[in-house]
Amino acid sequence: VNLLCVLVFASSGEPYKTGSPISGGNVMKAVGIDARTTAAITSDSRLILLDGQQQVLREKKLEGTASALALSADKSKIYIGTSDRKVYVFDLTLNEIDGFDVNGRVIGLDSAVNGEMAIAYGIGQYTDRFWVGLFDESGADRYKTKIGFDVNAVAAGEQGVYFGTADSKVGYLSPEGEELWRTNLIQPITRLSLNGKQELLAGDERGNVALVSAKGKVLWINHLSAYPITMVAAVDEAGHILAGDKDGKLFVLNAEGYALYNAGVSAGSINSLIGTTGDEILLLTDQGKPVTVSLSSALDAKRQFYIQTALIVVDAALAVTAFCLFVWSVASWRAAVIRFGRKLRRSRSAYMLLLPSIILILIFTIAPTLMAVFYSFTNFSLKEPLKVIGLSNFVAMWSDEFFWIGIWNMFLILITSIIKEVTMPLLVAELIFWLRSSRMKYWFRTAYVVPSIVPGVVGILLWKMMYEPEVGMINQFLGVIGLDGWKHAWLGEENLALWSIIMAGFPFVSIFAFLIYFGGLIGISRDIYDSSSIDGIGSWGRFWKIDLPMIRPQIRLILFFTFIGSIQGFANIYLFTRGGPGTATYVPGLQMYNQISNANFGYASAIGFVLAVFVLAGSILNLRFSKQEGV
């Protein structure tokens, strides 16, 4: 079956081929003069002529910034519009033969059939000072019609002129300049062209292509891409349409707007159709890279895709069948499958009762985790459409100075947190546990637990007030006892800020750790202590030889939660310093939060993925030690 699939695809030609880009600035627009010559304007304001291999034959530096390009109807002249309100006319040897001024920057330009040119121009942005006019080569105008909103594109038809605006409208001007209709589309218009029936093709900023009749009726709209449409044109008598987007994707549509083929053909946008030769259509990208499209192969690719998909499904079914037959042929495996099926059937009621919980876990735990892993390999943000970018986020992270500073601070916080969680809570638990009076045990235990009703955020804010350099309690106390030289801006000095955050909460009696340790000590049998006292073991020996070994599972639990909290946590740092001063208290969790705040969700997911790997490694180590000790 796989061999058949290879033969089917080998029998068909390639839908497209790409060539090498030209040197110099990016190509803004190009038009084909003949089969061997192309005119183009570049982002560095050059007018260039290219040969059939897209090599530069001639070039001319333009005054101002070139913004529009068109070829005269008889293909004997080149029209250039610039953003400094100029229109130039060149012959095919790039000699300037005419030119004139217009009252605004030139936005769009197209040649009319009678030797005139349609020009869209305007002043400002989101104003009413935009016009579409019909001019001859000397600058004499037949009309100048005020449109009243930003005009983004213009196309000259056999009878009149079409325009597209930034407020998502397309309109039509009669030969006398009278606006006959204006129709709403979906998004701001980026490109216009006409098909053989003088119907208007319009592309917009959100990847939609629409076909509008000569009377202004929307015939269809098709969403092709998340990126702006940079080229749209009808290419044959059957009405097939080629469209390109800013992401370098090529689309082939039929006359009814259905997408028949799409492929990513370039790293840059496809912005110009420069010629056709039989079945082949030549396009040009903004990098000056030629793309030759075989229309018949592209139309045939859809059928081949369906064939390939069907063959893959058949292959998968055959592979599953072969695996099942192999398992069934081994007696021990067959017996195991039968036993599992019987157990599943007997326990089906229990599984049905668990099913809602399993579904909720999948939706709210497993699915978000898998989505975050996927997004870490994308550019997911609110600034641009979603695109898979492979390991780019991780490569950027490798050179991210903030991330590595955060990693160092994170490990410092981890080590100090382990020391704090293992020492003081355990010491307090020991002292309270060995009090002789049950009443005193109760009151001391209650005294340590009661502060847990105060939210942790309140405790952080109280310590932040204590660290205040002017009115904070610490500096005030140092001043009272005559140690003015020891006063500091505890959270404002780079060499002290992180240690000040670490020391916050002194004497570090974590209520959670204290209760875990205390519960572990309560669970130790009194017989063990009685035997140790008979053997003459003192308080210190009892602590090392009985208490520590017996509460080892509790210690491991505290270490595990401390490990996770130190890697993922950033809330206290955010409240204390927000990572400052400079990067003195930066941690990866805070970097992830900042990236989310800046809508860089893909990069934030990549940071979260790395932190999850650390947590997973710690969990595996904890599980391994637990198994070794039989816990």
Side-chain angles (χ1 to χ4, degrees):
V1 174
N2 284 328
L3 177 60
L4 176 60
C5 183
V6 170
L7 291 176
V8 167
F9 275 82
S11 65
S12 177
E14 291 292 333
Y16 66 89
K17 294 182 292 185
T18 59
S20 301
I22 63 173
S23 60
N26 287 351
V27 173
M28 298 174 60
K29 183 69 184 298
V31 292
I33 298 174
D34 54 40
R36 295 172 296 176
T37 312
T38 300
I41 53 174
T42 64
S43 58
D44 56 352
S45 291
R46 290 181 298 141
L47 171 61
I48 58 177
L49 288 181
L50 306 172
D51 62 14
Q53 284 73 44
Q54 305 308 309
Q55 300 298 314
V56 177
L57 296 174
R58 292 188 182 89
E59 67 175 72
K60 184 178 183 66
K61 182 67 177 177
L62 301 170
E63 295 181 6
T65 302
S67 57
L69 168 70
L71 192 65
S72 64
D74 60 3
K75 297 188 177 182
S76 64
K77 301 179 187 69
I78 301 170
Y79 303 144
I80 303 291
T82 68
S83 60
D84 59 344
R85 308 185 179 192
K86 298 283 188 179
V87 176
Y88 298 97
V89 181
F90 294 91
D91 63 19
L92 298 186
T93 61
L94 304 192
N95 291 318
E96 182 179 342
I97 58 177
D98 216 333
F100 55 91
D101 296 335
V102 293
N103 186 30
R105 57 187 173 89
V106 178
I107 301 164
L109 190 154
D110 197 16
S111 60
V113 294
N114 55 1
E116 296 174 318
M117 64 185 84
I119 304 175
Y121 57 96
I123 301 172
Q125 189 174 14
Y126 303 115
T127 70
D128 62 350
R129 294 180 294 174
F130 283 83
W131 296 265
V132 172
L134 199 62
F135 297 80
D136 64 20
E137 294 176 1
S138 65
D141 62 90
R142 185 193 299 186
Y143 62 79
K144 292 181 288 187
T145 301
K146 191 173 184 179
I147 302 304
F149 204 83
D150 294 38
V151 180
N152 287 350
V154 66
E158 294 177 355
Q159 298 297 325
V161 176
Y162 299 84
F163 61 88
T165 68
D167 63 342
S168 311
K169 293 180 174 64
V170 292
Y172 175 70
L173 303 178
S174 72
E176 292 74 32
E178 179 187 0
E179 184 175 331
L180 299 183
W181 52 261
R182 190 179 297 201
T183 300
N184 285 316
L185 294 181
I186 299 177
Q187 295 288 339
I189 308 303
T190 56
R191 291 292 185 271
L192 295 177
S193 68
L194 297 168
N195 64 13
K197 300 178 181 178
Q198 291 297 293
E199 295 169 329
L200 183 66
L201 288 164
D204 66 28
E205 286 189 354
R206 293 295 183 268
N208 301 295
V209 171
L211 181 66
V212 182
S213 73
K215 295 184 178 181
K217 179 182 178 181
V218 179
L219 301 178
W220 51 258
I221 300 177
N222 190 358
H223 181 71
L224 302 179
S225 169
Y227 292 86
I229 297 297
T230 53
M231 187 276 297
V232 59
V235 294
D236 63 6
E237 295 181 356
H240 289 111
I241 300 162
L242 255 62
D245 70 5
K246 192 175 181 180
D247 193 41
K249 290 188 176 65
L250 172 70
F251 304 88
V252 179
L253 290 72
N254 64 11
E256 288 73 39
Y258 294 105
L260 304 176
Y261 174 78
N262 69 85
V265 302
S266 170
S269 64
I270 301 172
N271 58 18
S272 302
L273 188 153
I274 58 178
T276 59
T277 304
D279 180 57
E280 292 187 340
I281 302 165
L282 186 61
L283 311 174
L284 202 65
T285 72
D286 63 345
Q287 298 175 348
K289 183 184 294 185
V291 179
T292 304
V293 180
S294 172
L295 186 59
S296 60
S297 297
L299 296 176
D300 193 47
K302 194 75 171 181
R303 179 182 62 83
Q304 295 182 19
F305 170 77
Y306 289 134
I307 294 174
Q308 185 186 37
T309 303
L311 293 176
I312 291 173
V313 172
V314 171
D315 278 356
L318 291 175
V320 171
T321 302
F323 177 76
C324 293
L325 291 175
F326 175 71
V327 171
W328 196 256
S329 64
V330 180
S332 59
W333 293 358
R334 182 171 65 250
V337 171
I338 293 174
R339 286 196 302 272
F340 176 76
R342 289 173 178 170
K343 289 181 180 179
L344 188 63
R345 187 170 62 253
R346 287 196 300 268
S347 306
R348 60 183 179 273
S349 298
Y351 284 114
M352 290 300 295
L353 292 173
L354 289 173
L355 187 60
S357 298
I358 294 173
I359 293 175
L360 291 175
I361 291 172
L362 288 174
I363 293 175
F364 295 106
T365 303
I366 305 300
T369 302
L370 295 178
M371 288 172 63
V373 172
F374 168 72
Y375 286 141
S376 67
F377 298 98
T378 70
N379 66 338
F380 182 35
S381 71
L382 299 181
K383 304 173 184 177
E384 55 184 328
L386 181 67
K387 183 179 180 182
V388 176
I389 58 175
L391 298 175
S392 296
N393 286 327
F394 298 95
V395 173
M397 195 187 309
W398 182 260
S399 58
D400 187 346
E401 180 183 1
F402 293 103
F403 178 76
W404 289 109
I405 292 173
I407 288 290
W408 169 253
N409 290 339
M410 181 188 76
F411 278 113
L412 186 60
I413 292 172
L414 172 61
I415 293 170
T416 54
S417 296
I418 289 174
I419 294 173
K420 291 189 296 184
E421 293 293 317
V422 170
T423 53
M424 296 304 293
L426 179 57
L427 175 61
V428 172
E430 283 279 345
L431 292 175
I432 295 177
F433 178 73
W434 287 107
L435 288 173
R436 295 181 182 274
S437 170
S438 298
R439 180 175 295 180
M440 293 298 293
K441 280 186 183 182
Y442 171 80
W443 284 111
F444 273 104
R445 186 170 69 245
T446 304
Y448 275 103
V449 172
V450 164
S452 64
I453 65 176
V454 178
V457 172
V458 174
I460 293 172
L461 295 177
L462 287 173
W463 271 93
K464 187 175 182 179
M465 293 174 61
M466 291 168 62
Y467 280 135
E468 283 290 329
E470 299 296 332
V471 298
M473 189 186 74
I474 295 176
N475 280 350
Q476 291 288 332
F477 176 74
L478 291 173
V480 168
I481 63 176
L483 297 176
D484 292 305
W486 287 24
K487 291 183 178 180
H488 291 280
W490 301 99
L491 297 175
E493 298 180 20
E494 290 190 8
N495 59 335
L496 290 176
L498 185 61
W499 288 105
S500 299
I501 293 174
I502 291 172
M503 294 302 295
F506 181 83
F508 316 125
V509 182
S510 165
I511 305 303
F512 176 72
F514 164 73
L515 292 176
I516 293 294
Y517 291 142
F518 194 80
L521 293 171
I522 291 175
I524 300 175
S525 173
R526 298 299 303 182
D527 295 338
I528 298 177
Y529 291 123
D530 293 340
S531 299
S532 66
S533 62
I534 294 173
D535 293 337
I537 297 178
S539 299
W540 190 248
R542 182 180 61 212
F543 174 75
W544 282 105
K545 297 180 180 180
I546 298 176
D547 291 353
L548 278 183
M550 295 299 290
I551 65 171
R552 190 175 297 167
Q554 284 80 10
I555 294 174
R556 189 184 303 108
L557 178 65
I558 294 300
L559 289 177
F560 177 69
F561 281 109
T562 302
F563 177 80
I564 293 177
S566 299
I567 289 177
Q568 296 181 339
F570 66 91
N572 61 333
I573 290 176
Y574 182 81
L575 292 172
F576 274 121
T577 63
R578 299 199 176 191
T583 58
T585 59
Y586 224 71
V587 291
L590 184 60
Q591 170 76 334
M592 180 175 66
Y593 173 81
N594 289 336
Q595 293 298 326
I596 293 173
S597 300
N598 293 329
N600 295 322
F601 303 119
Y603 189 62
S605 297
I607 296 174
F609 181 83
V610 172
L611 296 182
V613 170
F614 282 120
V615 172
L616 179 62
S619 302
I620 293 173
L621 288 174
N622 179 64
L623 184 62
R624 183 174 181 180
F625 287 130
S626 298
K627 288 183 176 179
Q628 288 178 350
E629 297 180 6
V631 178

